[in-house]
Amino acid sequence: MLERFKVPEADRVYVREAPMRAATEAIFVALGLPEDDARQSADVLMFNDLRGIETHGVSNMLRSYVAGYRAGTLTPRPEIIVERETPTTALIDGGGGLGLHVAPHAMGIVIAKAREYGMGSAVVHHVGHMGGAGYHAMLALDHDMIGVAMSTSGRAIVVPTWGAEPRLGTNPIAWAVPAGEMAPFVFDIGTSQVAANKMRLAQRVGAKIAPGWIARMDGTPVMEEVDVPDEFYLLPAGGTRELGSHKGYGLGAVVDILGSTLAGIGPGFVANTPGYHLAAYRVDAFIDVAQFKRDMDTFLRGLAETKPAPGHERVVYAGLLEAEEEVRRRADGIPYHTEVIDWFRGIEGELGLDFAFT
Amino acid sequence: MLERFKVPEADRVYVREAPMRAATEAIFVALGLPEDDARQSADVLMFNDLRGIETHGVSNMLRSYVAGYRAGTLTPRPEIIVERETPTTALIDGGGGLGLHVAPHAMGIVIAKAREYGMGSAVVHHVGHMGGAGYHAMLALDHDMIGVAMSTSGRAIVVPTWGAEPRLGTNPIAWAVPAGEMAPFVFDIGTSQVAANKMRLAQRVGAKIAPGWIARMDGTPVMEEVDVPDEFYLLPAGGTRELGSHKGYGLGAVVDILGSTLAGIGPGFVANTPGYHLAAYRVDAFIDVAQFKRDMDTFLRGLAETKPAPGHERVVYAGLLEAEEEVRRRADGIPYHTEVIDWFRGIEGELGLDFAFT
């Protein structure tokens, strides 16, 4: 994550993983989720917080999930139904449950199909927020598989290249690939230039946004450094056509097609609700796992040992900084903004819970 | 394609598709390819020229293929071997043949697997240039399947974000998705900010390159508008970190892993030879084809009818301009640079052929 998004030192409260995990689980249980699903859902949020992906940790997302359960738009005990199936594919009705536990359930089906046939995939509709794609893609790693996860956002806020009306969500996509000694390759991005909830984060930490990140309401890209305006659209990754926004736009459209239209709920801008596409393929369906992991180590080490350009200390690859951050945060605790701790204090009282860190 | 890359009016010679196709086929046959493979190979080049993808038509690529056959680095009659197979996957030795006919052959295997099991994929090594990924992905369309094609480039010329040494090729990737009445969605990009052979094209048409496209030899992004320098590296799509180059870098790494490492030849920067990843999935393995095509029309029409931002006439989607260009070029002929026609005159004499347009 760019420096500008980090919680300023003065506003940080460090909380150990264990009490925050316990608090998050307790909130999910209090909202009516079964123990297992509460544990699974908290695991996704703590995974993101431990790896420094705070846009998808407890700070931004948990309060919106709480609101969803309270408003009845999220079902705490969903009935998950496989509506159509082939040896390798499944169409799944998520029963209106939260993706934090529905997506891992669906990924289990995908992995079982890949184990038997080499590849597997599933689309999921009637489901809530995924909670970040990386976690779900990484579920394939322990099975020596490559994992893919993508989700439409359920809300059109990204303008197409040259467009003045939003047509796509931030439509995230992730690939996770196992390695040997090196931290696994986990490439997890939004297909917009910047994630929607990075805007909320920017407001919280008082950060400006960079040129080429957002568009004015008439579609014109904002090419100056500005505070987060009241109204804006997001630009596709790349920002402007000259800088390759047609690539971000097209990749966002791929996610929209595979996650939403292929799941039978139509384009994202019609569905206005998330749709997922999950996939896994067995490495040994192509080549021996040992050789693959050895070659992945060569690849990832080669990237990480690239001579840096002037002004940079090192070169990294997708997943490396996150793995390093996880080690640090397991040791030192997770830095939260004081405002987030205040929110936990509030919900603790409302739900009659007792958190160790508040 | 950006305006700056188009052949200037004064340098254009219009040639009809049929005689150019015949000439291209004749060249392949003269180089030792069987009739079928020559026809298939010419079809890829003409597809690209008709759709306005001149970077991958006869202008740039054919002369390098001719050089490859003459130098013995390309095999005109390759033995293509399936080395490993599961119900859904195949590892294929391309026999040193050109991808223009080896990739369609492999895609046929992939489509047959998808027809039976829902999904199929193949990796291909020991193979030449793919000739653009879009053509091969589109082979899935007639089967009501979604097609995916990617290739590593066989030469590291793209620096990782913050890096001063090249580690990736331009590593193209394409998705093709069928629609009903609308032109199919065909998203076909290089994962570098700009394609390597667009540089050659820029030199031919005297175009400058834009800020954020290339790096100096120490890895520093060139942020001014300049002529194509003698020495440079390419930047990942996005250009700089602030503009999202980590997304282009990561997507390029995905192609490298799936196309090269998964094909058993190690990372692209070690293999230094192309590797492919091809995939197809049956639409009706997820939902009914009729519904899907109707929804795709809604999606694509919605994109194309987006109100444009100030200064732009319309909004398009991946594959739309190419489909329109194909109609135009089938009617009016294909504009080639005079220098390309000169090259055809030369090879005509060398191989003792007789082209209708020279």
Side-chain angles (χ1 to χ4, degrees), chain A residues 7-353:
Chain A
V7 177
E9 194 70 47
D11 296 330
R12 280 182 209 172
V13 180
Y14 281 80
V15 180
R16 310 287 307 183
E17 179 208 348
M20 183 54 89
R21 182 183 288 271
T24 304
E25 268 185 49
I27 291 171
F28 281 121
V29 169
L31 291 165
L33 274 76
E35 287 276 358
D36 277 1
D37 291 345
R39 193 174 311 121
Q40 171 63 75
S41 299
D43 195 54
V44 175
L45 293 171
M46 296 317 300
F47 164 92
N48 288 322
D49 271 347
L50 283 168
R51 288 169 65 91
I53 311 166
E54 23 254 48
T55 49
H56 289 79
V58 301
S59 308
N60 269 319
M61 300 316 303
L62 189 51
R63 61 191 83 185
S64 77
Y65 302 150
V66 170
Y69 285 115
R70 283 175 166 170
T73 53
L74 279 173
T75 305
R77 293 170 183 263
E79 191 188 356
I80 302 172
I81 302 166
V82 175
E83 298 178 306
R84 181 183 291 214
E85 208 169 2
T86 73
T88 61
T89 65
L91 169 68
I92 297 174
D93 178 332
L98 186 59
L100 275 57
H101 63 92
V102 175
H105 178 90
M107 201 65 189
I109 294 171
V110 167
I111 288 168
K113 287 176 180 293
R115 186 174 299 119
E116 192 159 353
Y117 293 99
M119 304 171 75
S121 73
V123 291
V124 186
H125 66 98
H126 191 205
V127 67
H129 189 254
M130 185 183 255
Y135 179 96
H136 309 290
M138 283 180 80
L139 292 173
L141 297 181
D142 282 345
H143 305 274
D144 289 334
M145 295 181 187
I146 295 171
V148 184
M150 53 190 106
S151 172
T152 58
S153 315
R155 194 163 63 99
I157 48 172
V158 178
V159 291
T161 298
W162 301 334
E165 294 169 304
R167 286 286 180 263
L168 296 171
T170 54
N171 293 7
I173 183 166
W175 283 265
V177 184
E181 296 166 6
M182 301 294 284
F185 176 84
V186 184
F187 177 54
D188 176 9
I189 57 159
T191 53
S192 54
Q193 179 72 303
V194 66
N197 53 14
K198 280 232 174 78
M199 293 291 134
R200 246 180 295 169
L201 200 58
Q203 283 174 316
R204 185 178 310 126
V205 303
K208 283 186 187 293
I209 53 175
W213 280 10
I214 60 170
R216 278 190 268 275
M217 299 305 283
D218 70 353
T220 311
V222 176
M223 298 308 286
E224 312 87 52
E225 181 121 341
V226 293
D227 290 319
V228 181
D230 290 336
E231 285 194 303
F232 59 88
Y233 295 129
L234 296 178
L235 288 167
T240 64
R241 173 62 181 83
E242 292 273 332
L243 289 165
S245 70
H246 58 304
K247 299 186 180 185
Y249 167 33
L251 192 58
V254 167
V255 173
D256 215 271
I257 293 165
L258 297 182
S260 193
T261 301
L262 198 61
I265 53 174
F269 66 75
V270 173
N272 281 318
T273 179
Y276 303 167
H277 188 99
L278 305 165
Y281 9 112
R282 234 171 60 208
V283 166
D284 72 357
F286 300 92
I287 62 159
D288 291 338
V289 170
Q291 181 191 342
F292 181 78
K293 289 189 174 176
R294 221 169 31 237
D295 288 347
M296 278 300 297
D297 281 347
T298 303
F299 180 57
L300 298 175
R301 198 174 288 119
L303 296 178
E305 291 177 355
T306 303
K307 190 174 90 178
H312 298 285
E313 277 175 31
R314 62 186 290 206
V315 173
V316 298
Y317 61 83
L320 178 59
L321 290 179
E322 292 81 357
E324 291 175 355
E325 191 68 20
E326 186 172 345
V327 172
R328 233 179 341 258
R329 291 188 173 196
R330 280 192 193 280
D332 303 342
I334 301 163
Y336 291 104
H337 197 284
T338 51
E339 186 271 330
V340 173
I341 304 302
D342 290 343
W343 179 84
F344 271 92
R345 274 197 200 100
I347 195 84
E348 183 181 32
E350 287 171 36
L351 296 175
L353 300 170

Side-chain angles (χ1 to χ4, degrees), chain A residues 4 84 88-89 117 162 164-165 167 190 192-193 213 218 242 247 249 264 284-285 288 291 302 307 309-310 316, chain B residues 4 84 88-89 117 162 164-165 167 190 192 213 218 242-243 247 249 264 284-285 288 291 302 307 309-310 312 316:
Chain A
R4 68 178 74 200
R84 181 183 291 214
T88 61
T89 65
Y117 293 99
W162 301 334
E165 294 169 304
R167 286 286 180 263
S192 54
Q193 179 72 303
W213 280 10
D218 70 353
E242 292 273 332
K247 299 186 180 185
Y249 167 33
D284 72 357
D288 291 338
Q291 181 191 342
K307 190 174 90 178
V316 298
Chain B
R4 70 179 72 201
R84 181 182 292 212
T88 60
T89 64
Y117 293 99
W162 301 334
E165 294 169 303
R167 285 287 180 262
S192 54
W213 281 9
D218 69 354
E242 291 275 330
L243 289 165
K247 300 186 180 185
Y249 167 34
D284 72 357
D288 290 339
Q291 180 191 342
K307 191 174 89 177
H312 298 285
V316 297

